Amino acid sequence: MARPFYTDEVILAGILEGGRQRQRFETILYQQFMYIAWKKGKSFRFTEEELGDLYTDSIVSLIRQIVTERFRGDSSIHTYLSKVFYNKCIDKVRKGSSIETDSLEDWVQIPDYATHFLKRILQKEEWNFVQGLMQKLGARCQQILMMSSAGYKTSEIAKEMGFTSGESAASQKYQCRKKLIEMYRKRVNHQIGG
């Protein structure tokens, strides 16, 4: 049975409504335009997981644009999302092909051994911070995100966790990542007094 197709206007109205409707239409948006990742992304030779992550980042970016009313519907969701996704692919290619500089080294001149030591400390603090947030997400989301970060494909996550398809697992992973990002932002804003 084919999924229903929702018009841009219906999707935008659902997301802007907020609450459960917003969550429902964010999932619909994610699923309805998923083909963009495979159609536009295949020329970049990314893995399925990389394409999924780039697509999820594109969706999060689009939703942010919709909620802040910077996306006004001057172009279709398909056109806009395609451009956002394409730009994210290009950014990933550029990052992969260029020599990245360490931001700490760009701003502060300190010996290499100290830079690596500071990076390890900051990474450990950040990891502990994120781990604390993940525990609040619940066991299911925590397992999905841990499997994803360990390199499992969404089809493997689906099989391991009993989802009906890789698409269902990808949708759940998107929801879990979104919750984690929201929790992270709230906690950081609270810590800096924002």
Side-chain angles (χ1 to χ4, degrees):
M1 186 167 122
R3 280 196 193 118
F5 178 82
Y6 294 89
T7 64
D8 287 6
E9 293 78 18
V10 171
I11 292 172
L12 293 173
I15 291 172
L16 289 171
E17 188 172 322
R20 290 186 188 267
Q21 278 296 93
R22 176 177 170 175
Q23 289 179 340
R24 178 174 172 249
F25 277 94
E26 285 177 351
T27 301
I28 288 169
L29 172 68
Y30 181 88
Q31 292 172 343
Q32 185 164 310
F33 293 96
M34 191 177 279
Y35 66 90
I36 289 173
W38 317 128
K39 183 178 173 188
K40 300 277 183 196
K42 65 181 170 184
S43 62
F44 288 98
R45 297 186 181 147
F46 294 134
T47 66
E48 185 177 311
E49 191 73 25
E50 289 171 321
L51 287 174
D53 287 344
L54 289 166
Y55 178 71
T56 298
D57 291 346
S58 301
I59 288 289
V60 169
S61 179
L62 174 59
I63 290 169
R64 191 176 312 120
Q65 297 290 321
I66 291 169
V67 171
T68 58
E69 297 182 7
R70 284 184 271 176
F71 176 79
R72 297 179 307 272
D74 296 336
S75 60
S76 70
I77 289 176
H78 173 269
T79 301
Y80 191 86
L81 186 58
S82 293
K83 288 179 182 175
V84 170
F85 178 76
Y86 180 80
N87 288 336
K88 290 200 179 283
C89 289
I90 294 296
D91 288 346
K92 182 164 179 61
V93 168
R94 285 183 184 148
K95 285 179 185 174
S97 64
S98 65
I99 299 170
E100 293 185 42
T101 60
D102 189 329
S103 59
L104 239 137
E105 291 170 349
D106 289 343
W107 296 101
V108 183
Q109 294 299 318
I110 54 178
D112 270 353
Y113 67 86
T115 300
H116 294 298
F117 177 73
L118 286 173
K119 280 199 309 192
R120 280 198 320 243
I121 289 173
L122 291 172
Q123 287 171 343
K124 183 173 174 75
E125 285 180 16
E126 188 72 14
W127 175 243
N128 290 338
F129 179 68
V130 170
Q131 270 188 315
L133 293 177
M134 284 185 62
Q135 289 176 353
K136 294 178 182 178
L137 279 177
R140 190 165 176 86
C141 273
Q142 191 174 357
Q143 185 176 358
I144 291 168
L145 294 176
M146 292 301 284
M147 289 176 75
S148 176
S149 68
Y152 284 78
K153 295 180 181 178
T154 52
S155 58
E156 295 169 324
I157 294 171
K159 186 177 181 181
E160 181 75 25
M161 296 193 64
F163 288 101
T164 55
S165 68
E167 190 176 276
S168 298
S171 180
Q172 185 64 46
K173 179 178 130 185
Y174 162 73
Q175 292 296 332
C176 292
R177 281 182 66 189
K178 189 175 121 195
K179 283 182 197 174
L180 181 63
I181 290 167
E182 287 172 5
M183 289 170 61
Y184 181 86
R185 285 188 183 133
K186 284 180 186 174
R187 188 93 173 263
V188 168
N189 287 338
H190 177 71
Q191 286 182 344
I192 60 173

